[in-house]
């Protein structure tokens, strides 16, 4: 194993539209990478060839790939549909290689087909969550200069409200057997064979947006080889998938946690995945019982609820349970284990790292600990000066490995996240005498609620557009059920309007103008916010 910076020069031409590569941070600001033998790739690489085409060309096309309550798709079905959509992108929508393509959809087979089609056609995928509103979508489109969008017609309303000079073409799909929307109609007559774009191993394949505590959301880029590398890391370390496994879970495919767990990992190993557009605990348990799910990905909050319901379902098919998105409380682990006999595999990942880099497996698990650095990664705990701290002493988590942070057009944020070649996740951890990492706290104002990352500054920026709100400050409150709650401290322009009715009005209004999962579940009305002499809000007092 050796360390290297194996990214290509930013100015090297990868695509006809080279915006993304020209926006990468310079090499000396990128992290160092672990350059191990099992993570080597040829110079020319399109990850779809291994994830999808491979199975069809090796005689496994009739194996089931995608499952829902209504229908199943084989690998051959997905392969043909992705190829047809790729033809539509190039021939009808005028996609040029390197164009960014936004995908707006719930978890369904057409979203997966669209995801693969974009990469086949030489585009760069920007997958988003269905809960995002037009304002948030517009910000994403403007930041990434997105030219094309593929959108589920059921989510059309907010998409139609987007106003951006960058967005040139939007194509809608229905996702049902009706096939009466733009994309299905255009794809129906296209060839079922498509020659994949000849991308390079270090050509950018996807851009993930991650919330920051200040300013605009950050764009983090990942290469085609990064996508295959994470398939060789966490699942091999913790899950040992088999072709007969059926994956399922609740995270949206717009989250890299969901993308890996519900698309990349099962398909890399020739298994199948069960997709649900609205995966409530009851539906997830129903799927496990009726469709014999064997590997489940969800957040600690969901496991807490599942534990109270699991006795009413047959989950005997389940063999692996994965938790990420927020820290896994020991009590949740113990309650699930007592109810099911299964050990939840905890893990920490980051959009900047693409997926999980510290975790465990059933053989080396310490209940309550996040785990060890998995194959392909190494981690340490450092102080504010970058020095390694003593055993069991709390400090900043630093990690490096086969993936790393590459913010586009945000040099100041790159300098914050990457220090001396190491990625700093913003988490406070400690490492015990056996090398296990234990979560202590978040190192910033990020609120992690029910597995969603919510930046306080984003909630504040929405609240401040309300005509009755003069000032506000948002913090996270510890909560047993959700991990954390979004709490807004608000100063009204007319203080006499403070009431329970006003709280409910603000909450309902927020859900209508921004993603509902970000709304403040707790609102406190104050006469004034605590501030320093220079006018900076003293958030620690509000916490």
């Amino acid at each position: 194993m050796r360390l290297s910076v194996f990214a290509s020069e930013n100015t090297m031409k990868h695509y006809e539209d080279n915006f993304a590569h020209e926006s990468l941070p310079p090499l000396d600001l990128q992290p160092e990478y672990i350059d191990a033998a099992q993570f080597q790739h040829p110079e020319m690489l399109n990850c779809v060839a291994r994830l999808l085409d491979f199975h069809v060309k090796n005689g496994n096309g009739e194996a089931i790939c995608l499952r829902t309550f209504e229908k199943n798709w084989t690998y051959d079905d997905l392969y043909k549909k992705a190829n047809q959509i790729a033809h539509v992108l190039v021939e009808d929508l005028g996609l040029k290689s390197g164009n960014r393509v936004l995908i707006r959809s719930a978890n369904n087979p057409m979203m997966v087909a669209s995801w693969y089609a974009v990469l086949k056609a030489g585009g760069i995928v920007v997958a988003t969550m269905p809960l995002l509103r037009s304002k948030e979508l517009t910000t994403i489109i403007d930041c990434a200069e997105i030219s094309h969008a593929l959108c589920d017609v059921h989510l059309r309303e907010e998409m139609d409200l987007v106003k951006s000079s960058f967005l040139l073409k939007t194509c809608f799909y229905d996702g049902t057997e009706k096939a009466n929307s733009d994309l299905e109609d255009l794809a129906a007559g296209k060839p079922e064979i498509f020659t994949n774009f000849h991308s390079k191993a270090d050509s950018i394949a996807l851009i993930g947006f991650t919330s920051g505590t200040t300013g605009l959301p950050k764009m983090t880029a990942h290469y085609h080889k990064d996508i295959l590398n994470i398939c060789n890391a966490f699942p091999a370390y913790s899950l040992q998938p088999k072709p007969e496994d059926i994956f399922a879970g609740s995270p949206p495919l717009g989250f890299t946690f969901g993308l890996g767990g519900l698309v990349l990992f099962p398909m890399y190993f020739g298994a199948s995945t069960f997709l649900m557009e609205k995966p409530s605990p009851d539906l997830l348990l129903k799927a496990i019982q009726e469709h014999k799910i064997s590997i489940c990905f969800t957040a600690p909050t969901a496991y807490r609820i599942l534990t109270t319901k699991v006795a009413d379902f047959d989950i005997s098919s389940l063999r692996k349970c994965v938790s990420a998105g927020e820290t896994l409380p020991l009590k949740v682990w113990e309650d699930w284990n007592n109810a099911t006999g299964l050990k939840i595999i905890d893990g920490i990942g980051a959009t900047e790292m693409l997926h999980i880099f510290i975790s465990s497996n059933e053989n080396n698990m310490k209940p309550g600990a996040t785990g060890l650095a998995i194959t392909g990664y190494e981690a340490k705990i450092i102080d504010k000066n970058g020095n390694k701290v003593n055993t069991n002493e709390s400090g900043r988590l630093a990690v490096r490995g086969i993936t790393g942070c590459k913010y586009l057009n945000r040099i100041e944020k790159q300098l914050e996240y990457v220090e001396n070649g190491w990625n700093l996740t913003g988490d406070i951890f400690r490492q015990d005498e056996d090398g296990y990492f234990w979560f202590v706290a978040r190192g910033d104002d990020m609120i992690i609620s029910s597995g969603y990352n919510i930046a306080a500054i984003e909630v504040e920026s929405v609240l401040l557009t309300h005509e009755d709100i003069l000032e506000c400050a948002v913090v996270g409150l510890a909560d047993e059920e959700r991990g954390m709650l979004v709490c807004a401290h608000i100063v009204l322009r007319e203080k006499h309007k403070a009431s329970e009715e006003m709280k409910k009005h603000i909450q309902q209004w927020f859900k209508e103008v921004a993603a509902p999962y970000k709304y403040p579940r707790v609102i406190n009305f104050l006469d004034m916010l605590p501030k320093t002499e220079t006018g900076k809000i003293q958030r620690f007092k509000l916490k």
Side-chain angles (χ1 to χ4, degrees):
M1 180 185 295
R2 62 187 176 87
L3 296 175
S4 66
V5 180
F6 50 61
S8 59
E9 289 293 342
N10 297 354
T11 55
M12 185 178 293
K13 195 74 174 176
H14 283 251
Y15 296 119
E16 188 172 351
D17 175 356
N18 215 35
F19 164 84
H21 279 272
E22 290 171 350
S23 302
L24 283 166
L27 292 182
D28 61 348
L29 297 185
Q30 294 186 29
E32 293 178 346
Y33 295 87
I34 289 178
D35 194 7
Q38 66 266 48
F39 301 108
Q40 298 301 306
H41 301 281
E43 180 185 2
M44 305 306 295
L45 176 73
N46 188 313
C47 66
V48 185
R50 174 60 182 84
L51 291 165
L52 176 55
D53 303 2
F54 170 85
H55 303 293
V56 174
K57 294 176 179 178
N58 282 273
N60 295 317
E62 293 305 309
I64 295 175
C65 174
L66 305 177
R67 302 169 185 264
T68 70
F69 284 115
E70 294 79 28
K71 59 190 173 185
N72 294 334
W73 284 23
T74 64
Y75 275 92
D76 196 47
D77 292 332
L78 180 59
Y79 173 77
K80 291 175 179 177
K81 184 65 73 175
N83 286 338
Q84 289 179 315
I85 297 173
H87 278 289
V88 171
L89 286 166
V90 174
E91 297 162 13
D92 297 280
L93 303 183
L95 181 80
K96 304 297 183 185
S97 64
N99 284 165
R100 279 71 60 208
V101 182
L102 181 140
I103 301 179
R104 174 168 168 74
S105 177
N107 293 4
N108 58 42
M110 275 298 289
M111 181 181 187
V112 179
S114 298
W115 194 92
Y116 281 122
V118 172
L119 296 185
K120 278 176 165 285
I124 296 173
V125 175
V126 183
T128 58
M129 293 185 302
L131 289 175
L132 295 185
R133 302 300 198 208
S134 58
K135 182 176 182 291
E136 296 154 316
L137 292 169
T138 301
T139 299
I140 288 172
I141 290 166
D142 288 346
C143 285
E145 298 189 8
I146 288 170
S147 57
H148 296 73
L150 301 179
C151 178
D152 190 314
V153 72
H154 302 97
L155 299 172
R156 179 169 189 155
E157 184 177 355
E158 291 293 329
M159 198 72 220
D160 283 342
L161 296 174
V162 169
K163 304 297 180 187
S164 174
S165 59
F166 292 106
L167 189 61
L168 304 177
K169 300 277 181 69
T170 300
C171 201
F172 295 93
Y173 61 82
D174 187 87
T176 69
E177 298 304 323
K178 298 175 184 176
N180 61 351
S181 58
D182 301 348
L183 189 56
E184 280 101 342
D185 288 347
L186 289 170
K190 298 296 184 184
E192 295 176 341
I193 299 295
F194 184 87
T195 301
N196 295 343
F197 179 81
H198 295 295
S199 49
K200 299 178 181 178
D202 56 358
S203 291
I204 295 174
L206 67 84
I207 296 172
F209 274 78
T210 179
S211 297
T213 54
T214 58
L216 294 170
K218 301 183 289 284
M219 300 182 284
T220 182
H222 294 290
Y223 301 141
H224 278 265
K225 66 181 176 186
D226 294 337
I227 290 172
L228 295 186
N229 279 345
I230 65 167
C231 296
N232 250 327
F234 172 73
Y237 182 86
S238 296
L239 306 178
Q240 299 80 50
K242 301 172 288 187
E244 55 267 31
D245 275 320
I246 304 175
F247 289 63
S250 62
L253 301 185
F255 277 168
T256 53
F257 176 48
L259 176 67
L262 302 182
V263 176
L264 305 181
F265 300 164
M267 295 192 65
Y268 186 85
F269 289 91
S272 64
T273 187
F274 191 93
L275 299 176
M276 290 169 280
E277 296 199 351
K278 296 180 179 179
S280 67
D282 286 311
L283 276 181
L284 185 53
L285 287 168
K286 179 184 178 184
I288 294 171
Q289 175 176 280
E290 295 182 359
H291 295 268
K292 307 305 177 187
I293 307 302
S294 56
I295 299 177
C296 179
F297 281 70
T298 193
T301 304
Y303 282 113
R304 183 183 288 110
I305 300 171
L306 293 172
T307 300
T308 66
K309 299 172 175 285
V310 71
D312 298 328
F313 294 84
D314 175 9
I315 65 160
S316 57
S317 60
L318 203 56
R319 69 182 190 88
K320 302 283 184 178
C321 302
V322 181
S323 173
E326 59 187 332
T327 185
L328 176 67
L330 178 58
K331 188 175 188 307
V332 174
W333 190 97
E334 291 174 337
D335 289 348
W336 180 256
N337 183 244
N338 291 335
T340 67
L342 294 164
K343 300 177 180 179
I344 299 176
I345 298 168
D346 195 11
I348 178 175
T351 305
E352 289 86 354
M353 303 298 292
L354 192 51
H355 216 270
I356 291 171
F357 47 83
I358 293 176
S359 188
S360 58
N361 55 49
E362 291 175 341
N363 297 321
N364 66 9
M365 187 179 295
K366 268 192 184 184
T370 304
L372 302 163
I374 67 172
T375 304
Y377 294 92
E378 57 185 14
K380 63 181 180 178
I381 308 300
I382 60 175
D383 62 19
K384 63 181 181 180
N385 297 317
N387 301 312
K388 192 171 181 179
V389 304
N390 296 324
T391 299
N392 281 316
E393 185 178 331
S394 297
R396 300 185 296 163
L397 177 64
V399 62
R400 64 184 177 189
I402 51 175
T403 58
C405 177
K406 301 179 283 289
Y407 286 141
L408 302 182
N409 288 333
R410 297 298 293 276
I411 295 297
E412 76 284 2
K413 294 301 179 184
Q414 185 74 17
L415 287 166
E416 290 177 9
Y417 203 93
V418 177
E419 186 177 294
N420 297 321
W422 292 78
N423 300 274
L424 302 180
T425 67
D427 299 281
I428 306 301
F429 269 74
R430 64 178 178 86
Q431 188 175 20
D432 68 18
E433 56 280 352
D434 298 318
Y436 284 75
F437 291 89
W438 298 73
F439 177 81
V440 176
R442 281 291 296 176
D444 55 24
D445 288 327
M446 189 68 71
I447 301 165
I448 303 179
S449 181
S450 298
Y452 289 107
N453 288 346
I454 304 168
I457 190 71
E458 286 186 329
V459 180
E460 291 170 3
S461 66
V462 173
L463 289 172
L464 288 171
T465 65
H466 192 288
E467 60 183 9
D468 289 318
I469 296 176
L470 177 64
E471 290 184 299
C472 67
V474 172
V475 298
L477 295 182
D479 178 72
E480 184 175 345
E481 181 180 347
R482 296 178 177 275
M484 297 182 81
L485 295 178
V486 177
C487 173
H489 297 274
I490 292 173
V491 178
L492 294 174
R493 295 184 186 279
E494 299 177 55
K495 296 182 176 56
H496 68 272
K497 288 187 176 181
S499 65
E500 289 301 315
E501 289 72 24
M502 176 59 82
K503 290 181 183 179
K504 292 176 182 176
H505 160 73
I506 291 172
Q507 290 171 328
Q508 184 58 41
W509 166 85
F510 191 103
K511 294 177 189 178
E512 293 171 0
V513 299
Y517 69 86
K518 299 177 184 177
Y519 89 94
R521 293 178 180 271
V522 178
I523 291 178
N524 295 321
F525 291 123
L526 302 178
D527 288 338
M528 64 180 65
L529 297 175
K531 298 177 181 176
T532 64
E533 290 182 3
T534 59
K536 185 176 181 180
I537 297 173
Q538 295 173 307
R539 297 176 188 278
F540 68 93
K541 289 187 176 180
L542 297 174
K543 293 179 181 179

